[in-house]
Amino acid sequence: MRAAIGLSLITALVLLEGGSGPPPRLGDAAVTPGSAALIGLGYYLSQSAWLAGLAYWTLYRPLVAGLVVGAILGDPWAGARVGATLNIAFLGFLGTGAALPTDMALVGYAGAAIALATGLSATASLALALPLGALGYGLYRVRLRWGNAPARWAERYAQRGDVRGIAWCNVVVPQAMLILLALMPGAAVAYLAPRVAYRLVGVAPGWVAGWLDVTGALLVALGAAAGLALVWARRTAGCYLGAAVVAMAMVAVSAAGREMALLVGVLGAAAAAALPWLARGRAADGEGPATRQGAASVRGGPPPEGGAVRGGDRLATLMTWLFFSHSGYSEDRRQGLGLAHAMAPVLRRLYPTRAELGRALTRYLPPFNVEPNLGSAVIGVLGNQEEALARGQLPPGAPEETRSRLAGPVSGVGDTVIHGAIGTVAMALGAAVAAVAGPAGAMVYVALMAAVVWGISGWAFVRGYRGGFPGVLELLRGDGWRRVVVGAECAGAIVIGVLTVGPVADTLGPLPGGAGAGPGSPVARALASLPALALVLAFLALQRWGVRQRWLVTGCFGAGLVAALLRL
Amino acid sequence: MSSSGAGGGPDWDRLALVRVDDRFLHGQVALNWARALRPTRVVVADDALAADDLGRLAMMAAAPPGIEAWIGAVDEAAGTLVDGTIDAEGTMILVRDPASARRLFDAGVRYRRLNVGAVGQGPGRVRVGQQVSLTREEWEALRYLEQAGVDVTLQALPSDGAVRLARVRLPREWARRKE
């Protein structure tokens, strides 16, 4: 990775230095220092704590980043479409437990800036910006490492019962570091990348632009296949192929086939998502209540006279968690600091003396990691148990035990439901809508994810607080989340089917025999998307055979080169 | 015992994955690895978890759709795998730490590859990888397995590169004590 970063930096410097001729003639939307700073701000916000848990699900995604860059550079519509194309390449992105495959946000901001400022195609911009993902990932690792220091400082504040000190360590220090690690590099990349790209394509022989173009198109198909791999199963294979065939038929018979295919795809996806809920009967397995015995629940327990936790304290805990769970994320403790910060409003009410509060806060600083949205249930249970502990209804150490018992399973379910299932469908849907309706795609996606993130967080928190450990256990053992996953997998396969015939086929235009051959007979129009379908299925097969992503990406660059040279 | 190897015992090559992960079935395992390898079952071999009713219930419940979960003590897990009660084919085994991995191996589960995924910070542990911290003894346990022919690598996600044990940078004081 370091070699890749070094190589791209040196290339960039050589190209900038070497261009002593006329200044780069950028497109109409040249990136000025001011707009570069704004794009850097977008990249900063995409990792910041200021969006109530939405940053990672909205501004971090190229689909949304493209719209933002488009708005900054004066062409939101073009930005939205470029962002959608870039995002399809990351449909298979799974960031779980602090490990990210790459930094799709930097690729998104830089790629959109390149495309809009230079007029290069979205796919060529993708191929050019892809190595920046490694740079962004390197910055992310630095951020985790730097986060160790404030997480350590917080220990002194915690012991003193100083909640403001903890907030300082969890919010102010890390978010300031992020200015250095995201805002400034983001702005620099937004300013330099289009200029470097322009020079590169300008000085390079003609086939280089073609090479980048085809490579990007292959990467888009690879991304669609990776997204499909997440939802692929015997029962979803039919959903995918069926949706693709229906979409092809609509494109063949109607000039508005794209729009119709999208509409039918959305309806089909909604039906697929609802189907597991309509199939009753399997629900009654009657396992739930048996697990209640032996677990401590404080539901209905009378609150003590003094120091009763109020609704506002609980809300403050939920909101602190929602905003700042990942603010002071660190290599050593992960969300430990965020957890102590989030528990503070409840603990402060329960423990009026500084010494007691200090002991309670200190218990929450050790390493902790949970999927943050469904993980709000764990925060709720911990609040519930702290109240019981203060009343003497639980033995000391119970919250710590709960934390270690629940964090893994709740993350497993939360990641499967939110990252694997819902997130994949929502991203695919946003990209499909953007291909037809530009900015509306990103907006639909953001609205959907806001509902999911805030809805699940609030619901899980209340459920954990009211039901305690048994309530969450019941939630895990129930089949509600399994229905969501099964439904979302079918829905995802349908939407990716529509996506394959639409935007994925479009990007393959320059390939011989690809789509975009213009009008023609209905049959020709329908068959034009066959190469895209075949390519996505071929990538899917390679992935399922266990070919590593790294080799597939390298293969895209190689195949793109061969295709470009053949066309000479 | 449907997956018999040449020697008559279970064919350990057909294990989906053997992973050291102190959080067992969390997002990285339930989502990333489960999607990449499509195991048919997950065996969690851990004495403490096997003895903790509530923890076991929660962990069992988190098994992804289509994957069955089995949780038991290390020796018990080894026994059922060796005698074929649990088929090795398509099984993903999760253990808490290198010591458990070594116990499992010594009890007859002769896996060929060991994935060291996540071991959190703790007393005496030093960070040796992105999400792996080890004590000196745990490091020795991994070395023992490597010398027994196991391909030991550090790797968080299927999409990450696998780092061989020999290429892991060790704390300086460990190297010095060795001489």
Side-chain angles (χ1 to χ4, degrees), chain A residues 6-17:
Chain A
L7 197 66
S8 27
L9 278 180
I10 291 168
T11 319
L13 286 176
V14 166
L15 283 165
L16 278 180
E17 201 50 43

PDB file of all heavy atoms in Angstrom, chain A residues 6-17:
ATOM      1  N   GLY A   6       3.225   6.038  -2.548  1.00  0.00           N
ATOM      2  CA  GLY A   6       4.451   6.702  -2.949  1.00  0.00           C
ATOM      3  C   GLY A   6       4.498   6.900  -4.452  1.00  0.00           C
ATOM      4  O   GLY A   6       4.786   7.992  -4.943  1.00  0.00           O
ATOM      5  N   LEU A   7       4.159   5.844  -5.168  1.00  0.00           N
ATOM      6  CA  LEU A   7       4.204   5.895  -6.623  1.00  0.00           C
ATOM      7  C   LEU A   7       3.248   6.953  -7.155  1.00  0.00           C
ATOM      8  O   LEU A   7       3.611   7.756  -8.025  1.00  0.00           O
ATOM      9  CB  LEU A   7       3.830   4.519  -7.193  1.00  0.00           C
ATOM     10  CG  LEU A   7       4.204   4.297  -8.650  1.00  0.00           C
ATOM     11  CD1 LEU A   7       5.707   4.281  -8.805  1.00  0.00           C
ATOM     12  CD2 LEU A   7       3.605   3.003  -9.168  1.00  0.00           C
ATOM     13  N   SER A   8       2.026   6.980  -6.589  1.00  0.00           N
ATOM     14  CA  SER A   8       1.075   7.962  -7.123  1.00  0.00           C
ATOM     15  C   SER A   8       1.512   9.380  -6.776  1.00  0.00           C
ATOM     16  O   SER A   8       1.309  10.297  -7.565  1.00  0.00           O
ATOM     17  CB  SER A   8      -0.351   7.679  -6.625  1.00  0.00           C
ATOM     18  OG  SER A   8      -0.356   7.036  -5.408  1.00  0.00           O
ATOM     19  N   LEU A   9       2.113   9.559  -5.583  1.00  0.00           N
ATOM     20  CA  LEU A   9       2.586  10.894  -5.213  1.00  0.00           C
ATOM     21  C   LEU A   9       3.688  11.367  -6.160  1.00  0.00           C
ATOM     22  O   LEU A   9       3.675  12.499  -6.640  1.00  0.00           O
ATOM     23  CB  LEU A   9       3.108  10.893  -3.779  1.00  0.00           C
ATOM     24  CG  LEU A   9       2.038  11.014  -2.689  1.00  0.00           C
ATOM     25  CD1 LEU A   9       2.677  10.993  -1.311  1.00  0.00           C
ATOM     26  CD2 LEU A   9       1.238  12.305  -2.878  1.00  0.00           C
ATOM     27  N   ILE A  10       4.652  10.463  -6.425  1.00  0.00           N
ATOM     28  CA  ILE A  10       5.771  10.837  -7.298  1.00  0.00           C
ATOM     29  C   ILE A  10       5.261  11.170  -8.693  1.00  0.00           C
ATOM     30  O   ILE A  10       5.620  12.189  -9.288  1.00  0.00           O
ATOM     31  CB  ILE A  10       6.811   9.692  -7.350  1.00  0.00           C
ATOM     32  CG1 ILE A  10       7.498   9.575  -5.988  1.00  0.00           C
ATOM     33  CG2 ILE A  10       7.819   9.921  -8.458  1.00  0.00           C
ATOM     34  CD1 ILE A  10       8.326   8.337  -5.807  1.00  0.00           C
ATOM     35  N   THR A  11       4.369  10.302  -9.209  1.00  0.00           N
ATOM     36  CA  THR A  11       3.799  10.563 -10.529  1.00  0.00           C
ATOM     37  C   THR A  11       3.125  11.930 -10.550  1.00  0.00           C
ATOM     38  O   THR A  11       3.295  12.721 -11.485  1.00  0.00           O
ATOM     39  CB  THR A  11       2.749   9.488 -10.875  1.00  0.00           C
ATOM     40  OG1 THR A  11       3.257   8.234 -10.458  1.00  0.00           O
ATOM     41  CG2 THR A  11       2.453   9.471 -12.347  1.00  0.00           C
ATOM     42  N   ALA A  12       2.362  12.196  -9.480  1.00  0.00           N
ATOM     43  CA  ALA A  12       1.639  13.462  -9.424  1.00  0.00           C
ATOM     44  C   ALA A  12       2.618  14.631  -9.456  1.00  0.00           C
ATOM     45  O   ALA A  12       2.430  15.597 -10.206  1.00  0.00           O
ATOM     46  CB  ALA A  12       0.801  13.518  -8.163  1.00  0.00           C
ATOM     47  N   LEU A  13       3.687  14.544  -8.660  1.00  0.00           N
ATOM     48  CA  LEU A  13       4.651  15.636  -8.594  1.00  0.00           C
ATOM     49  C   LEU A  13       5.338  15.843  -9.935  1.00  0.00           C
ATOM     50  O   LEU A  13       5.485  16.967 -10.411  1.00  0.00           O
ATOM     51  CB  LEU A  13       5.689  15.351  -7.509  1.00  0.00           C
ATOM     52  CG  LEU A  13       5.159  15.532  -6.083  1.00  0.00           C
ATOM     53  CD1 LEU A  13       6.213  15.147  -5.062  1.00  0.00           C
ATOM     54  CD2 LEU A  13       4.717  16.974  -5.869  1.00  0.00           C
ATOM     55  N   VAL A  14       5.752  14.724 -10.550  1.00  0.00           N
ATOM     56  CA  VAL A  14       6.430  14.818 -11.842  1.00  0.00           C
ATOM     57  C   VAL A  14       5.523  15.499 -12.856  1.00  0.00           C
ATOM     58  O   VAL A  14       5.936  16.394 -13.591  1.00  0.00           O
ATOM     59  CB  VAL A  14       6.834  13.408 -12.332  1.00  0.00           C
ATOM     60  CG1 VAL A  14       7.221  13.446 -13.799  1.00  0.00           C
ATOM     61  CG2 VAL A  14       7.966  12.864 -11.485  1.00  0.00           C
ATOM     62  N   LEU A  15       4.260  15.092 -12.849  1.00  0.00           N
ATOM     63  CA  LEU A  15       3.335  15.640 -13.833  1.00  0.00           C
ATOM     64  C   LEU A  15       3.083  17.119 -13.592  1.00  0.00           C
ATOM     65  O   LEU A  15       2.993  17.909 -14.517  1.00  0.00           O
ATOM     66  CB  LEU A  15       2.022  14.868 -13.791  1.00  0.00           C
ATOM     67  CG  LEU A  15       2.077  13.506 -14.475  1.00  0.00           C
ATOM     68  CD1 LEU A  15       0.889  12.667 -14.075  1.00  0.00           C
ATOM     69  CD2 LEU A  15       2.135  13.682 -15.977  1.00  0.00           C
ATOM     70  N   LEU A  16       2.973  17.499 -12.310  1.00  0.00           N
ATOM     71  CA  LEU A  16       2.723  18.910 -12.010  1.00  0.00           C
ATOM     72  C   LEU A  16       3.938  19.748 -12.373  1.00  0.00           C
ATOM     73  O   LEU A  16       3.840  20.836 -12.919  1.00  0.00           O
ATOM     74  CB  LEU A  16       2.410  19.077 -10.527  1.00  0.00           C
ATOM     75  CG  LEU A  16       0.967  18.791 -10.124  1.00  0.00           C
ATOM     76  CD1 LEU A  16       0.795  18.983  -8.634  1.00  0.00           C
ATOM     77  CD2 LEU A  16       0.018  19.690 -10.890  1.00  0.00           C
ATOM     78  N   GLU A  17       5.118  19.199 -12.031  1.00  0.00           N
ATOM     79  CA  GLU A  17       6.366  19.913 -12.265  1.00  0.00           C
ATOM     80  C   GLU A  17       6.614  20.042 -13.762  1.00  0.00           C
ATOM     81  O   GLU A  17       7.011  21.092 -14.252  1.00  0.00           O
ATOM     82  CB  GLU A  17       7.511  19.128 -11.598  1.00  0.00           C
ATOM     83  CG  GLU A  17       8.738  19.940 -11.310  1.00  0.00           C
ATOM     84  CD  GLU A  17       8.413  21.236 -10.590  1.00  0.00           C
ATOM     85  OE1 GLU A  17       7.592  21.224  -9.661  1.00  0.00           O
ATOM     86  OE2 GLU A  17       8.982  22.250 -10.992  1.00  0.00           O
TER      87      GLU A  17
END
